[in-house]
Amino acid sequence: MTTAAHALLDHLFDYAGLFPPAALDLDAATAAYAGYHAGPDAWMLGRFIVPAGRLAEGADADDGQLLDAYADRFEGEPWRFSVLGLAPDDGETWLEAALRTLGQARAFNARHPGRTTCDRFELRLPAALASDTDALAGALLDLDATYLGGAGTGPRAALEVPFMDAPDSVAPAAAAVAEANGQAGRPAFALKLRCGGVTPDLVPDVETLAEALAEVVRAGVPFKATAGLHHPLPNHDDAVGARMHGFLGVFGGAVLARLHGLGAADWAEILDSVDASDWSVDDGLRWRSLRATAAEVADARRQLALSFGTCSFDEPRDDLRALGWLQAR
């Protein structure tokens, strides 16, 4: 394991076993995460992704549908959760639903002191709000005021932009996040980009994804990714019936784009690359002639390219071992 590989893979994989295509129940997903959390590769493992509705307190916990039913598995280092936001109820605003999500997470932490921390939230933006820089920045500052009121420096919320349906929403949403982070004086917010799905129409083409990623880097805001990134390199998924993106192109590409000022066309070439020999981590991260030191990789991961959600932790590990980036076990 090289220093650059460690920097790139450090806590990169948020575990989304509850979601398709794995679609495990809470019993199986928490059991799997507990094993990974206690295993030798836990340094690559990120947060357990859970819908806010699974954090609710009540008698229904006995039916196995709420996370409290599995509290005996919260062993070792505190389990970290990334909480998916509640959809607004009838007559409820996006901000009100976000605050309700935060309240459920805080109550869950209070029931398991020292054993859990809900330190990231993933909130889906409606296209109209994502496209309105001023309205979104105002909502984020209101949300941040609530974080500061009861959560110290506050968790980071990743805001999902519907760029497949509304490609012009990425730039205004990124500008809103940059403005809110600037006024907060810290990176309180990030964007979230969906890179795939279980049907071909949910998989963005290379140019669309590259343009969205490039907009995020231009704005200087952090991002996380989700869906479709089980493997390091692009690959055809027979079950989906589409060519899926690789996580090296997204996260290694983010490191190189930030460092070398790459635009969408350059990033699209990286995303499209299927040749494993284009990449190396021997003396830093390299894609063809573009290079980054291990320190530059670590800085980009902290400041820009946060993590991605995957319903499999085994598939990416197996592929990385096959590439020689991880030691075989």
Side-chain angles (χ1 to χ4, degrees), residues 196-203 239-242:
V198 295
T199 56
D201 59 297
L202 298 177
V203 183
V240 176

Side-chain angles (χ1 to χ4, degrees), residues 204-228:
D205 61 38
V206 166
E207 291 75 17
T208 299
L209 180 57
E211 184 58 44
L213 288 164
E215 286 283 7
V216 172
V217 174
R218 278 194 287 268
V221 300
F223 77 92
K224 78 158 290 183
T226 192

Side-chain angles (χ1 to χ4, degrees), residues 141-159:
L141 289 170
D142 288 343
L143 197 56
D144 190 55
T146 301
Y147 286 169
L148 288 173
T153 58
R156 175 179 282 152
L159 311 166

Side-chain angles (χ1 to χ4, degrees), residues 10 38 74 82 90 109 145 186 198 214 229 298 328:
D10 185 33
F74 303 155
S82 190
D90 289 343
N109 281 338
R186 69 187 200 290
V198 295
L229 300 177

